[in-house]
Amino acid sequence: MAKIIGGLAVSHTPTIGFAVDHNKQEESAWAPIFESFAPMQKWLDEKKPDVLVYIFNDHVTSFFFDHYSAFTLGIDEQYEVADEGGGPRDLPAVKGHAALSQHIGASLMADEFDMSFFQDKPLDHGLFSPLSALLPHEGGWPTQIVPLQIGVLQFPIPTARRCYKLGQALRRAIESFPEDLNVAIVATGGVSHQVHGERCGFNNPDWDEQFIDMIVNDPERLTEMTLAEFATLGGMEGAEVIMWLVMRGALSANVKKLHQAYYLPSMTGIATLILENQSREAPYDVQQRQRDKIAQQMAGVEKLPGTYPFTQARSLKALRINRFLHRLIQPAWRERFLTDQKAMFAENKLTDEEQKLLRELDWRGMIHYGVSFFLLEKLGAVVGVSNLHIYSAMRGETLEEFQKTRNQQVLYSVAGKAKA
């Protein structure tokens, strides 16, 4: 079974990544940052966690306000470094633990957290700034991650209590994963700071100290605070410390504090914290109970003939071809698709199998492969094939045979009037 060995909390200011990239670790203004990171580096080196469940927020880099979610879980096998305006940092991509991610996602949904999920998105300084100071990365990172992005920039945002409850659900999810893994929870963000408006530059070291004490010893009391109270005490952007409550909720009620440090060099209080889990095994199998809960909603669907639920695993496997087909909503893309398929296939690195499925319009084969039906109907609209033709192909029947099973013999597709 997967085991949570402890939690780390750390600010994610870009200051940290800047200092790493410019080799400023020994300079007087920057050295205290890295002195506070040293115990965390040592702990990670000694414990060697297999996976870091990494809680952070994006800074309007890969997640924009046209579709902004409260809780967004990465389910991918790899995460690149994002370009935040001046080019991406010179860091390797970090591997994801897709199986654990997908299990966590299923468990959180079973616990009635309405999650969003992402694939193939680069991650910004919210993740990579502290990660680059915590772990060696020459030639690759020594651990895998499960990234959990919290939407804290566009209000309304989750409450402190909801974040704490998410952490509790995260514990159930991780500990019910059947593979033996050592997992550390990393929470980033904060502490006190504000970077906009006339209050820009606000800090409150006294509150930072009190908050860290409470996150260790009395996290439930923090969940009673409103977001406005967090902003009053720690600055508007400093309210992102509610993400630390996700980490704390995932740990045992009693924890052992191994390290705490604080430094305020400029705009953001930089805090570091190590909490070691003090959990004990329950006298009954709560992990199996959680796995049963996860499986309950889909139990029996595997007995339905000719039925292929579009799971995260299927989505991840077929992401390349699904993205290719999704771009058929763009006029220039579909016009080129009709005239220059071979070059498009090569440019988009479609496999031989994927190319064959598209060339032959193998509707049922694409479903078996992992293509979403709702992208097939877009393809049908482009090549002049009705939805009914696709439906009949699913059943291995001619259109005429399939139409005999319908109350009305009609044809339709998602094509606009001009195409129709």
Side-chain angles (χ1 to χ4, degrees), residues 213-340:
D213 178 73
M214 292 178 74
I215 202 82
V216 176
N217 298 305
D218 199 7
E220 285 276 1
R221 183 55 57 90
L222 288 172
T223 69
E224 298 171 5
M225 291 176 55
T226 68
L227 296 168
E229 289 166 343
F230 276 102
T232 299
L233 289 165
M236 195 71 242
E237 284 73 34
E240 70 188 7
V241 290
I242 59 172
M243 294 189 294
W244 289 34
L245 282 163
V246 181
M247 177 274 288
R248 187 63 183 87
L251 302 182
S252 52
N254 296 316
V255 292
K256 182 179 180 181
K257 184 177 73 174
L258 302 182
H259 163 74
Q260 175 184 334
Y262 179 83
Y263 178 52
L264 178 57
S266 179
M267 290 293 292
T268 305
I270 299 176
T272 54
L273 181 67
I274 305 174
L275 302 178
E276 203 152 83
N277 226 17
Q278 299 292 295
S279 61
R280 296 185 64 176
E281 289 294 326
Y284 44 85
D285 197 346
V286 294
Q287 289 83 14
Q288 185 59 51
R289 181 183 299 172
Q290 185 67 15
R291 288 193 292 272
D292 292 342
K293 183 179 182 181
I294 295 168
Q296 182 179 8
Q297 293 297 323
M298 294 295 283
V301 75
E302 72 281 357
K303 299 176 183 177
L304 299 176
T307 302
Y308 311 94
F310 190 70
T311 62
Q312 291 177 351
R314 288 170 63 79
S315 177
L316 182 59
K317 173 197 170 190
L319 179 64
R320 181 176 46 247
I321 187 172
N322 278 324
R323 174 175 285 121
F324 181 90
L325 290 173
H326 181 250
R327 293 189 67 183
L328 291 173
I329 64 175
Q330 303 169 7
W333 189 265
R334 57 180 177 260
E335 290 302 321
R336 189 180 172 206
F337 176 80
L338 294 172
T339 60
D340 197 18

Side-chain angles (χ1 to χ4, degrees), residues 97-379:
H97 198 299
L100 178 59
S101 290
Q102 292 163 24
H103 175 84
I104 289 172
S107 182
L108 293 177
M109 292 291 279
D111 280 343
E112 300 184 356
F113 280 87
D114 299 325
M115 303 297 297
S116 293
F117 302 96
F118 70 89
Q119 306 172 55
D120 199 30
K121 282 186 179 293
L123 304 179
D124 74 1
H125 72 263
L127 186 138
F128 277 107
S129 185
L131 190 67
S132 64
L134 287 173
L135 291 172
H137 46 269
E138 190 74 26
W141 303 91
T143 187
Q144 295 172 290
I145 66 164
V146 170
L148 176 56
Q149 200 276 146
I150 312 293
V152 295
L153 301 186
Q154 177 177 271
F155 288 81
I157 68 173
T159 64
R161 183 171 299 278
R162 190 61 172 164
C163 287
Y164 190 65
K165 288 183 176 180
L166 175 62
Q168 294 172 320
L170 191 60
R171 178 180 180 180
R172 293 190 292 272
I174 294 167
E175 292 182 343
S176 63
F177 186 66
E179 183 181 338
D180 288 335
L181 293 173
N182 284 329
V183 179
I185 315 294
V186 181
T188 72
V191 274
S192 69
H193 65 291
Q194 183 158 325
V195 295
H196 81 275
E198 289 77 5
R199 203 185 184 213
C200 179
F202 173 83
N203 300 107
N204 187 348
D206 291 337
W207 162 242
D208 292 337
E209 182 179 4
Q210 183 181 359
F211 170 78
I212 294 170
D213 178 73
M214 292 178 74
I215 202 82
V216 176
N217 298 305
D218 199 7
E220 285 276 1
R221 183 55 57 90
L222 288 172
T223 69
E224 298 171 5
M225 291 176 55
T226 68
L227 296 168
E229 289 166 343
F230 276 102
T232 299
L233 289 165
M236 195 71 242
E237 284 73 34
E240 70 188 7
V241 290
I242 59 172
M243 294 189 294
W244 289 34
L245 282 163
V246 181
M247 177 274 288
R248 187 63 183 87
L251 302 182
S252 52
N254 296 316
V255 292
K256 182 179 180 181
K257 184 177 73 174
L258 302 182
H259 163 74
Q260 175 184 334
Y262 179 83
Y263 178 52
L264 178 57
S266 179
M267 290 293 292
T268 305
I270 299 176
T272 54
L273 181 67
I274 305 174
L275 302 178
E276 203 152 83
N277 226 17
Q278 299 292 295
S279 61
R280 296 185 64 176
E281 289 294 326
Y284 44 85
D285 197 346
V286 294
Q287 289 83 14
Q288 185 59 51
R289 181 183 299 172
Q290 185 67 15
R291 288 193 292 272
D292 292 342
K293 183 179 182 181
I294 295 168
Q296 182 179 8
Q297 293 297 323
M298 294 295 283
V301 75
E302 72 281 357
K303 299 176 183 177
L304 299 176
T307 302
Y308 311 94
F310 190 70
T311 62
Q312 291 177 351
R314 288 170 63 79
S315 177
L316 182 59
K317 173 197 170 190
L319 179 64
R320 181 176 46 247
I321 187 172
N322 278 324
R323 174 175 285 121
F324 181 90
L325 290 173
H326 181 250
R327 293 189 67 183
L328 291 173
I329 64 175
Q330 303 169 7
W333 189 265
R334 57 180 177 260
E335 290 302 321
R336 189 180 172 206
F337 176 80
L338 294 172
T339 60
D340 197 18
Q341 281 187 15
K342 185 175 181 180
M344 292 181 77
F345 291 165
E347 290 168 13
N348 289 274
K349 297 181 172 60
L350 298 189
T351 66
D352 291 342
E353 182 180 5
E354 290 166 341
Q355 293 182 38
K356 185 173 184 288
L357 289 168
L358 290 174
R359 281 197 308 271
E360 297 179 359
L361 297 179
D362 184 353
W363 307 108
R364 188 160 64 179
M366 283 187 273
I367 289 291
H368 290 172
Y369 187 79
V371 176
S372 165
F373 168 79
F374 301 100
L375 295 170
L376 294 188
E377 67 178 357
K378 292 174 174 56
L379 174 60

